[in-house]
Amino acid sequence: MRYVVIGAGAVGGAIGGRLSQSGHDVVLVARGAHYEALRRDGLRLLTPDGTHRLPVPVADRPEAVELRPDDVLVLAVKTQDSVAALDAWAPRPVAGGGTAADRLPLVCAQNGVESERLALRRFRRVYAMCVWLPSTYLEPGEVIAPCAPHTGALHLGRYPSGADETARLIAADLEKSHFLAPVVPDVMRWKYAKLLNNVANAVEAICGPDGGEEAAALVRRAKAEASAVFDAAGIDRASDAEQSAVRDGKMDIRPVAGGAARGGGSSWQSLVRGSGTVEADYLNGEIVLLGRVHGVPTPVNEALRRTANECARERRTPGTITAAQLTRIVDAA
């Protein structure tokens, strides 16, 4: 199989880079300065086992890729960019006839739980991937993936549920490429568990990675709301013990060649890069949506969603609002 990675940032670059490094056929899809750097110099992947310069083929738009029947599309853009990406790729022709939407499997390697629904409106075969993959993309052409001995844990399953031979084949390729890749019939349980942790992304993005106890207290409040919403909605999620059993001792953050630091998570990176958008609508905003549907108040997550979006629109860098200031914003909501 060939992997067409749509969105070669931190997650997509790490997955595509590791697959390419282990001998799999990969095409990275990127834009702007990142595309130019990848086209000119290849992907620079920094890991605990060294700095790898990988000459992975790269494209800047769907029309630049001639799709094949054995392709797997890996959607790794942020959820706020999913609709545009799905609409661009779904009608693309596949060699031998038909379109990508009808013939190719699409894997949602993203935070949150919304992209799978968006994808299933357009694509016949959708797979959900729960991404535990600490990685950083701040400089064009460069991705830092600091975990070892495995680069990340990527639970995979058919959406909305089930497992099939395609999922097992993808997982086998990932397991040969420095990843843990359990195939599970209930993959959304794992994605909701990840979502519970991802409500912290907005706090880190707004206040910076070192917000102290006040930031930690906000995270606890946001997670408590999320847990209450999930319970009211009857949403099951993987337990802390289940998650620890998969990851503990198998993907530890270690020093990276050249002393490169990972920095913060995905939302923090969006603000550092000045991208103008952040995924808060699909992380904290998912909790707000479920709370409104099921009658559970979610004032903390609503304030975090709104403030993170304001910071992104105004191109504010992390830390311009302190944890104390953010607490006052939340309490006034």
Side-chain angles (χ1 to χ4, degrees), residues 112 126 158 225 234:
V126 175
R158 190 78 182 254
E225 284 184 357

Side-chain angles (χ1 to χ4, degrees), residues 80 278-287 289 305-306 309:
Q80 65 267 28
V278 71
E279 58 192 333
D281 282 345
Y282 300 97
L283 302 179
N284 308 92
E286 181 70 25
I287 306 307
L289 170 62
R305 182 201 67 81
R306 185 176 60 249
N309 280 323

Side-chain angles (χ1 to χ4, degrees), residues 163-188:
D164 60 15
E165 184 62 17
T166 297
R168 286 185 280 271
L169 289 170
I170 295 170
D173 287 349
L174 291 167
E175 288 173 348
K176 296 172 186 174
S177 308
H178 298 272
F179 292 105
L180 300 165
V183 176
V184 293
D186 52 359
V187 66
M188 297 310 291

Side-chain angles (χ1 to χ4, degrees), residues 32-117:
H34 192 40
Y35 163 75
E36 294 295 342
L38 292 171
R39 182 180 63 83
R40 182 181 63 247
D41 303 319
L43 174 66
R44 186 169 183 254
L45 181 63
L46 284 71
T47 70
D49 57 31
T51 297
H52 311 282
R53 181 69 72 179
L54 305 171
V56 188
V58 61
D60 62 347
R61 61 194 187 282
E63 294 78 9
V65 182
E66 294 185 6
L67 293 176
R68 311 185 317 209
D70 63 345
D71 282 341
V72 174
L73 304 182
V74 180
L75 186 66
V77 300
K78 297 291 195 301
T79 304
Q80 65 267 28
D81 298 320
S82 287
V83 168
L86 291 165
D87 285 346
W89 286 89
R92 294 301 305 155
V94 178
T99 66
D102 290 331
R103 296 192 60 189
L104 302 183
L106 180 123
V107 179
C108 294
Q110 300 163 286
N111 287 332
V113 295
E114 180 64 17
S115 274
E116 288 81 5
R117 294 183 72 249

Side-chain angles (χ1 to χ4, degrees), residues 159-278:
Y159 180 78
S161 63
D164 60 15
E165 184 62 17
T166 297
R168 286 185 280 271
L169 289 170
I170 295 170
D173 287 349
L174 291 167
E175 288 173 348
K176 296 172 186 174
S177 308
H178 298 272
F179 292 105
L180 300 165
V183 176
V184 293
D186 52 359
V187 66
M188 297 310 291
R189 286 185 70 245
W190 296 88
K191 295 207 72 166
Y192 275 103
K194 178 77 186 309
L195 176 60
L196 184 61
N197 287 278
N198 282 145
V199 298
N201 286 25
V203 177
E204 181 187 59
I206 296 164
C207 303
D210 301 316
E213 176 53 33
E214 284 185 291
L218 283 173
V219 170
R220 289 192 294 270
R221 292 169 64 184
K223 292 178 72 171
E225 284 184 357
S227 293
V229 163
F230 290 164
D231 291 342
I235 293 172
D236 191 18
R237 61 269 190 199
S239 67
D240 290 342
E242 288 177 281
Q243 296 172 69
S244 295
V246 172
R247 301 195 307 267
D248 286 2
K250 300 170 187 173
M251 44 172 295
D252 300 326
I253 292 181
R254 298 181 181 177
V256 170
R262 175 181 173 252
S266 56
S267 298
W268 177 88
Q269 293 175 47
S270 292
L271 263 62
V272 170
R273 292 198 308 271
S275 64
T277 66
V278 71

